Amino acid sequence: MRNIFLLILLGILSFSAHAQRRRDDDTLHYRSVPIPAHLLPIERAYGSSSLGSVYFYGGKKLSSPYSLEIPFYELNDPEVSHRFKAFRTLTTIGRLTALVPLAYIILSSNKSNGTYWTVYGGSIAATLTFTIIGNGQINKAVTRYNTLLRQPRLGFSATPVPLTGLHAMGAGVAWSF
């Protein structure tokens, strides 16, 4: 009986945690800070793969995905920033993994040819895995960035009219690309 009570209690707690996460996910699109109007959409070149993508910002080809850091941080979205940081971390780990065979050669007293090739092959596999996962993160960040830019922007303004002392009021909606 006690085990059943614990299972029911754990089920209720996990359901409430899931419901809270769901509520947090639903409110991701409501921003307290407006999206800067000068931000442009990011385009991914046709034929890009998971091993590397070519991006265009404002019609100009970017030299690397690291160039996306400025528009991502100007957008100030936590999910986009998190995915970009994950991309940077995974790419760095992948590059450091490529140094493992060199460390094996320098530090190993056992010069077995078969062991070296195992370390070398494992290093290549790990580097490719980290690269693919990292590029997936940057692609998700670009998708989220473009989704946020597509949302309509609502505005309200009150501008003083010269010589009358009155204010002209207006409301507007901007829908981009």
Side-chain angles (χ1 to χ4, degrees), residues 42-45 48-55 65 68 72 79-80 83-84 87 131-147:
I42 298 169
E43 300 170 30
R44 187 172 172 216
S48 296
S49 70
S50 59
L51 291 177
S53 297
V54 176
Y55 296 100
L68 297 172
F72 284 168
E79 183 180 341
V80 172
R83 292 199 183 277
F84 183 75
F87 159 75
T131 300
I132 290 169
I133 295 170
N135 285 331
Q137 291 295 313
I138 195 78
N139 289 336
K140 289 177 184 176
V142 168
T143 302
R144 169 81 176 162
Y145 172 91
N146 286 335
T147 301

Side-chain angles (χ1 to χ4, degrees), residues 67-121:
S67 303
L68 297 172
E69 182 174 14
I70 294 171
F72 284 168
Y73 284 123
E74 283 187 17
L75 182 64
N76 196 21
D77 182 61
E79 183 180 341
V80 172
S81 297
H82 171 73
R83 292 199 183 277
F84 183 75
K85 288 177 185 175
F87 159 75
R88 268 196 335 218
T89 302
L90 289 166
T91 305
T92 302
I93 291 171
R95 288 179 181 167
L96 291 175
T97 306
L99 297 176
V100 171
L102 178 63
Y104 175 77
I105 290 172
I106 293 172
L107 301 175
S108 176
S109 61
N110 179 10
K111 301 295 184 186
S112 171
N113 199 17
T115 307
Y116 169 76
W117 288 110
T118 303
V119 169
Y120 184 71

Side-chain angles (χ1 to χ4, degrees), residues 26-43:
D26 290 343
T27 60
L28 281 177
H29 293 290
Y30 303 111
R31 295 173 52 93
S32 61
V33 179
I35 296 172
H38 67 277
L39 292 178
L40 301 172
I42 298 169
E43 300 170 30

